[in-house]
Amino acid sequence: MRLLRDEALASGDAHLGTRFWIFPQPPFIPGYEKPDRIWLPIPRDEIGEGPSDATMYVVDPVQDKEPYGLDRLPPFHGALRLPAAPGPDRHFDNLSPDSRAFLPVHAYACVHFVLNIWQSYLGRPVRWFFDQTFPRLEIVAFVNWDNAQAGYGFLELGCSDIDGIKRPYALNFDTIAHETGHLILLSETGIPTSVSRGGDFFSFSEAFSDLVSLISFLHFESAVDRLLRRTKGNLLLYNELNRFAETSPESQIRLATNFRRMSEVTREVHDRALPFVGAIFDSIVELYHRELVERDCADIRLLDIDLRHLEQDDFDRFRQATAEAFRIKPMVFGLALRAARDAVGQALATSLPSINPDTLRLDQVASAVVAAAGGQAAGVLEANFVWREIISAR
Ligand SMILES: [Zn+2]
């Protein structure tokens, strides 16, 4: 890595971090055409061209590259496009988000954005599980392949091809966050060596990665704001929250807003992940409602009713009450959603070190998440895991 220095850095504000653009949802989703400007907490003189730093670097192959596999691992040795360079102020928000050269910069920013969130929840840096072999993660910005994958030392991004319209996953925050989720989980639990019969490691890995995507998405101020304005604070309408699965690279429709229980799913890993994802999503919504009720922004009856079997009359009544409160104090709704998001995200992250990847079962993880939650979040999570038949009622 080449360290970059100039006079702007000498002025002393280099430690404030580095600016990037991120699209919280791919730009073809209506309402998300413009990216957000975000700050990564990395000093400008620690990010080299590529971008690259001490923990990761991006490569952008000139020609079609074979996807990595068991017998094909990084580093990539082929010809590369010219590496992306920062502007004269050493920030990376200099490139036009429409340009081809923007892809590696966006992919890099997304991986760091997600990593920062989960490191905050974990309370320490994530050490890559492959760091004995590769000190840094290689991000491949573009592979001509309808998939995205993360593996031993790499995260590579292809492009979706729907009706002949190609869309690079490097612009898809959901996809990048999902793949980063796989890397975080493996780095926290270690690689499974022999998953036992009936072991759930791979199902949990899909669930966790979808949740990393969902919870990280809720860290964009603009996304929370837009979501709440569009729904007038009523998350029973869901909307954006489940869009993260829409262009899933694994071509599975894995909605967080599903109603599946363990007795209704197969052993296929994505299918088996659904009840866990649903339990966590419902817990966020329920904790959000509790926060709203505590702050006098919602009807207290919202907490006693089974939201999965809501009658139209009740729904309309709740919607109207919430919309009225939202019109007067929208900020409180943002606070409530962030509090719910963090209670659940924190519990999920805290549970990770107790997981043995070889013997992991979904009921054990669920119990660990409940134990890590504490307070009213524990009760809400437990009830939702019970409803999903992941754990039994005590
Ligand atoms: Zn996955």
Side-chain angles (χ1 to χ4, degrees):
M1 183 183 60
R2 209 184 82 206
L3 292 183
L4 301 161
R5 299 194 180 278
D6 71 358
E7 282 179 23
L9 294 177
S11 68
D13 63 350
H15 65 280
L16 291 179
T18 310
R19 287 196 311 262
F20 285 84
W21 294 112
I22 294 185
F23 288 104
Q25 294 282 281
F28 61 85
I29 302 277
Y32 288 94
E33 296 85 354
K34 294 265 184 268
D36 283 15
R37 188 177 259 129
I38 58 111
W39 285 80
L40 291 182
I42 311 170
R44 280 176 280 162
D45 59 351
E46 290 181 16
I47 307 183
E49 56 184 16
S52 61
D53 61 54
T55 60
M56 65 185 77
Y57 61 97
V58 192
V59 297
D60 196 358
V62 173
Q63 283 170 343
D64 285 354
K65 170 191 167 299
E66 283 283 304
Y68 285 131
L70 283 180
D71 55 347
R72 265 195 312 276
L73 289 175
F76 178 70
H77 289 298
L80 296 176
R81 288 171 184 266
L82 215 58
D89 57 2
R90 295 291 177 246
H91 289 290
F92 275 86
D93 56 357
N94 58 317
L95 289 171
S96 161
D98 307 330
S99 64
R100 172 63 183 77
F102 180 68
L103 296 187
V105 181
H106 188 259
Y108 173 89
C110 291
V111 174
H112 265 296
F113 185 83
V114 172
L115 206 54
N116 284 335
I117 292 163
W118 292 85
Q119 288 182 156
S120 301
Y121 288 144
L122 287 163
R124 58 188 149 72
V126 169
R127 260 190 67 183
W128 299 127
F129 63 97
F130 45 78
D131 72 351
Q132 296 294 310
T133 320
F134 306 118
R136 299 194 291 162
L137 172 72
E138 181 179 288
I139 302 167
V140 184
F142 188 85
V143 185
N144 195 6
W145 178 49
D146 187 359
N147 208 342
Q149 63 170 354
Y152 200 81
F154 65 87
L155 189 163
E156 61 184 344
L157 300 162
C159 60
S160 68
D161 187 346
I162 299 165
D163 302 332
I165 301 173
K166 292 200 169 193
R167 292 177 168 131
Y169 286 122
L171 292 182
N172 191 317
F173 176 79
D174 298 340
T175 301
I176 300 170
H178 178 97
E179 296 306 327
T180 306
H182 282 308
L183 295 176
I184 293 171
L185 181 65
L186 285 167
S187 297
E188 288 303 308
T189 65
I191 307 175
T193 48
S194 58
V195 173
S196 58
R197 258 181 87 81
D200 283 326
F201 181 78
F202 297 106
S203 299
F204 177 64
S205 186
E206 291 311 323
F208 179 74
S209 293
D210 274 353
L211 292 167
V212 164
S213 180
L214 171 71
I215 291 171
S216 302
F217 168 70
L218 291 176
H219 278 261
F220 289 105
E221 295 290 317
S222 69
V224 167
D225 185 55
R226 190 174 290 129
L227 174 71
L228 292 176
R229 273 189 288 117
R230 189 174 296 168
T231 58
K232 297 191 175 72
N234 187 345
L235 293 191
L236 297 176
L237 297 168
Y238 299 134
N239 288 0
E240 275 98 329
L241 282 182
N242 63 25
R243 256 200 203 131
F244 75 101
E246 226 169 54
T247 53
S248 158
E250 283 139 297
S251 69
Q252 303 281 340
I253 301 193
R254 306 191 301 271
L255 298 181
T257 55
N258 70 80
F259 294 95
R260 308 282 292 281
R261 305 182 195 219
M262 292 310 286
S263 59
E264 298 161 352
V265 295
T266 64
R267 291 286 317 175
E268 194 279 322
V269 292
H270 298 100
D271 202 39
R272 198 168 163 79
L274 288 174
F276 197 97
V277 175
I280 294 284
F281 179 79
D282 288 352
S283 299
I284 294 176
V285 173
E286 210 170 313
L287 285 167
Y288 167 71
H289 288 153
R290 280 170 195 260
E291 295 280 343
L292 288 182
V293 169
E294 267 170 33
R295 293 156 204 249
D296 209 18
C297 286
D299 191 325
I300 194 163
R301 281 170 299 179
L302 199 52
L303 305 185
D304 299 325
I305 212 157
D306 183 350
L307 299 174
R308 297 177 190 95
H309 300 110
L310 206 55
E311 301 289 334
Q312 187 67 42
D313 284 356
D314 286 329
F315 179 78
D316 289 342
R317 194 158 37 94
F318 289 137
R319 181 167 57 183
Q320 198 185 342
T322 317
E324 275 166 27
F326 183 73
R327 198 163 46 82
I328 298 161
K329 35 188 175 177
M331 252 173 55
V332 177
F333 284 71
L335 288 175
L337 183 52
R338 287 181 194 100
R341 169 201 77 189
D342 289 338
V344 171
Q346 184 75 63
L348 199 55
T350 308
S351 73
L352 296 182
S354 68
I355 291 173
N356 174 341
D358 289 327
T359 58
L360 178 154
R361 287 201 328 262
L362 290 177
D363 61 320
Q364 291 168 343
V365 190
S367 300
V369 173
V370 171
Q376 62 174 2
V380 169
L381 283 159
E382 185 173 20
N384 279 307
F385 284 130
V386 168
W387 189 85
R388 298 282 173 167
E389 301 169 344
I390 296 169
I391 54 178
S392 13
R394 278 191 289 189

